[in-house]
Amino acid sequence: RICRYSIPHCCYWRLCFATRLEKSTRTRTRKTSNALTMGAMDVIIASGSTMMAGGIEPLALGKFTENLKMEKQRTGAPYPKIIRMFASRGVPGIMAGAVPWGVLLGSSKGLFFGLGKACGESVLPPSIQGKSRAVSLGAFAGAFQGVGIAPFLLASTRVNQAIAQGNKQATSLSYSFTILGNVIRTEGTQAITRGMGTNAFKRALDWVVRFYIRETLCDPIRERRSKGLKPGEKVKLTDIDKLWTSLAAGGISVYVSTPLDRLLPLLQQRDSTKTTMELFKEQFKGGLPKLYAGAVARSAHAALHVCFLMFVGDKIKQMFNK
């Protein structure tokens, strides 16, 4: 404590000002530190929740619908025949590829999706609301996801390519775990980034469309329920509302992004010497029936993926925040 009568008058007020300035600086620093800590925790919880949801998805028929889609594109056989083929092998046939790569890829999709969405929430100003905010968050989440999972998709593409070429070792786990190292050794580190830009754009487009569709489906629900509310009250969506709108958004979105989805594996193949535009044009040579082969299974797979990351991820996040 400063004694007013022990020092000159001018010095006393200078010391008072300095003391108050120091206290104010300490308070602001403490508040800033707490805000940063809380912000970091929000990002960790958000990305961790969607990572868990993404890891569960392949075990809940997510990988099965993906295999169904790939087999339909490869053979063109009727869906009942393909399903009987998988079912005839029992649980290993239905869950083929789910462990470990399905879970690993699903977890990484969820992790980078949650990370991108959380970063978008922290960057976007509060003035951006509604569909504009949803579309912006979708772009953030999709771009982060596309860049983050590109190496895993490259590994998956190369393993599938080796299996199609009759390489018996490609079905072993040891081959899967060493594939990225072999690619870097033989083709250089630039091979890891091959198709990364296309994947980031494709994922951003996917999630922009999905967020937009979900908000569009939710708008009539909010409008209908807002009629009996008091001023200032907000409409609350039920879990059923969030569930079916997430499933619908995922299922519808594939009809927008299918051309890019078919293009990406071709870019990541070892013998892909054609330009991106040449490969893109080739996708349309067989017409729309060939381009959208497997669209039903692709739609089911996307619906599950969106449901787990948007709905299940939010439920897990709520558990952590309780």
Side-chain angles (χ1 to χ4, degrees):
R1 187 174 179 179
I2 302 170
C3 179
R4 179 172 181 175
Y5 302 103
S6 61
I7 56 178
H9 182 74
C10 60
C11 294
Y12 167 76
W13 291 112
R14 286 177 186 172
L15 284 172
C16 285
F17 176 76
T19 303
R20 289 178 183 177
L21 181 62
E22 184 182 359
K23 287 181 180 179
S24 176
T25 303
R26 282 183 196 162
T27 303
R28 283 199 301 270
T29 303
R30 194 181 302 114
K31 287 182 179 179
T32 303
S33 178
N34 291 339
L36 289 174
T37 302
M38 291 177 65
M41 284 303 299
D42 288 342
V43 171
I44 292 171
I45 291 174
S47 55
S49 300
T50 49
M51 183 181 73
M52 292 175 63
I56 297 170
E57 179 206 338
L59 305 176
L61 297 182
K63 189 61 180 176
F64 172 73
T65 55
E66 184 180 3
N67 292 339
L68 188 65
K69 170 194 72 176
M70 299 297 290
E71 192 66 18
K72 178 68 175 179
Q73 290 176 184
R74 190 178 69 84
T75 64
Y79 282 114
K81 182 179 179 181
I82 299 173
I83 293 172
R84 283 197 300 270
M85 180 191 71
F86 284 125
S88 65
R89 303 171 188 171
V91 175
I94 295 174
M95 302 297 291
V99 180
W101 286 110
V103 173
L104 181 61
L105 184 58
S107 298
S108 63
K109 285 180 180 179
L111 172 65
F112 289 107
F113 170 85
L115 187 62
K117 186 182 175 185
C119 290
E121 289 280 13
S122 63
V123 170
L124 293 175
S127 58
I128 300 178
Q129 293 297 328
K131 287 182 181 178
S132 298
R133 190 174 189 85
V135 166
S136 301
L137 290 177
F140 270 97
F144 270 68
Q145 189 186 68
V147 172
I149 68 172
F152 297 104
L153 288 178
L154 174 65
S156 177
T157 299
R158 292 301 178 85
V159 169
N160 291 336
Q161 185 183 14
I163 292 173
Q165 291 173 350
N167 188 342
K168 296 181 179 180
Q169 295 181 348
T171 57
S172 65
L173 285 179
S174 59
Y175 185 90
S176 296
F177 280 117
T178 58
I179 187 68
L180 280 179
N182 292 337
V183 169
I184 293 173
R185 246 189 333 269
T186 57
E187 303 174 46
T189 54
Q190 68 273 11
I192 298 295
T193 62
R194 187 179 298 164
M196 184 177 286
T198 302
N199 192 38
F201 177 76
K202 182 259 178 189
R203 296 278 167 178
L205 177 63
D206 272 346
W207 285 106
V208 163
V209 172
R210 290 163 181 172
F211 273 70
Y212 181 83
I213 292 173
R214 193 188 188 203
E215 283 297 308
T216 302
L217 294 173
C218 289
D219 280 346
I221 300 173
R222 294 191 182 101
E223 185 177 350
R224 187 173 63 252
R225 293 180 184 170
S226 64
K227 293 180 180 179
L229 294 179
K230 297 177 182 178
E233 286 186 330
K234 292 184 178 180
V235 177
K236 292 184 179 180
L237 299 176
T238 65
D239 286 344
I240 297 297
D241 296 330
K242 296 175 183 177
L243 177 62
W244 79 261
T245 52
S246 298
L247 287 169
I252 297 171
S253 68
V254 300
Y255 296 97
V256 176
S257 61
T258 289
L260 289 175
D261 199 24
R262 298 288 296 272
L263 173 67
L264 186 64
L266 298 177
L267 289 174
Q268 292 182 324
Q269 289 179 7
R270 182 182 294 106
D271 55 356
S272 179
T273 56
K274 298 180 180 179
T275 65
T276 301
M277 190 53 64
E278 288 174 340
L279 291 171
F280 187 75
K281 288 179 180 178
E282 285 183 2
Q283 300 302 304
F284 292 90
K285 283 185 177 179
L288 292 180
K290 182 180 178 182
L291 180 66
Y292 283 95
V296 174
R298 186 186 299 275
S299 183
H301 174 65
L304 274 177
H305 181 58
V306 174
C307 177
F308 269 88
L309 293 195
M310 295 186 75
F311 176 71
V312 178
D314 282 347
K315 299 300 289 183
I316 295 174
K317 183 180 177 181
Q318 289 174 14
M319 291 170 56
F320 280 116
N321 286 332
K322 283 184 178 179

